[in-house]
Amino acid sequence: MRITTKGRYALRAVSQLAANYTDKPISIRELAEMEDLSPEFLEQIFYKLRKAGLINSTRGPGGGFSLNRPPEEISITEIFDAVGEGMNLAPCAVNGANPCKHPGCITHKVWVKASDHLKEYFSNISIKDIVEANPVKV
């Protein structure tokens, strides 16, 4: 399994929103500068995060993005799911399917169980946990 740039950027940006968790939204430009990310790519990611209900957007002067829920209620798994980041260690572990050419594969259950453990691990880490473990200086 390899987390793509999209997944890593999403996690960094949402963590930055959490580190600056206030009533005032933060613009894409500010977030991009804070994290040294492409504003255009961040817009694509935030579209998906907003659609998933993890963040809010505010238009107009002083507008930007903010968390839709408190940081302790948002898990890494939710962020990865929102941006389409798969967390399966093998193709045959996707939703318990077994698309491989070996229907009697004796390792299938190993991949499913390992993928389930990984999902559970990320589900138990909130954005608040990340921020508290790594204070961000803004």
Side-chain angles (χ1 to χ4, degrees):
M1 180 190 126
R2 182 171 189 263
I3 302 298
T4 67
T5 302
K6 180 174 48 178
R8 292 191 315 273
Y9 280 17
L11 184 58
R12 286 172 55 192
V14 173
S15 296
Q16 192 62 253
L17 283 177
N20 295 284
Y21 190 56
T22 64
D23 294 335
K24 182 184 175 226
I26 301 173
S27 73
I28 285 275
R29 182 166 301 188
E30 288 177 274
L31 282 167
E33 287 176 13
M34 287 178 197
E35 288 296 318
D36 193 27
L37 305 174
S38 158
E40 295 80 16
F41 193 35
L42 202 50
E43 281 183 35
Q44 294 171 23
I45 292 167
F46 272 25
Y47 171 79
K48 292 178 179 191
L49 292 169
R50 191 172 54 82
K51 190 174 176 184
L54 297 177
I55 62 173
N56 290 317
S57 63
T58 305
R59 293 180 181 230
F65 293 88
S66 58
L67 296 179
N68 194 29
R69 300 190 323 247
E72 63 270 15
E73 295 179 12
I74 301 173
S75 72
I76 294 175
T77 297
E78 288 182 281
I79 293 167
F80 287 166
D81 286 346
V83 298
E85 192 69 61
M87 287 192 289
N88 293 297
L89 296 174
C92 65
V94 177
N95 296 326
N98 193 357
C100 73
K101 297 176 183 176
H102 308 284
C105 178
I106 61 174
T107 63
H108 173 72
K109 289 182 183 179
V110 170
W111 298 122
V112 171
K113 192 170 183 175
S115 295
D116 289 347
H117 284 295
L118 188 62
K119 290 174 197 171
E120 182 179 343
Y121 173 76
F122 284 129
S123 292
N124 289 312
I125 301 173
S126 74
I127 297 307
K128 182 180 179 182
D129 297 331
I130 293 171
V131 172
E132 287 179 347
N134 302 290
V136 179
K137 295 178 183 176
V138 288

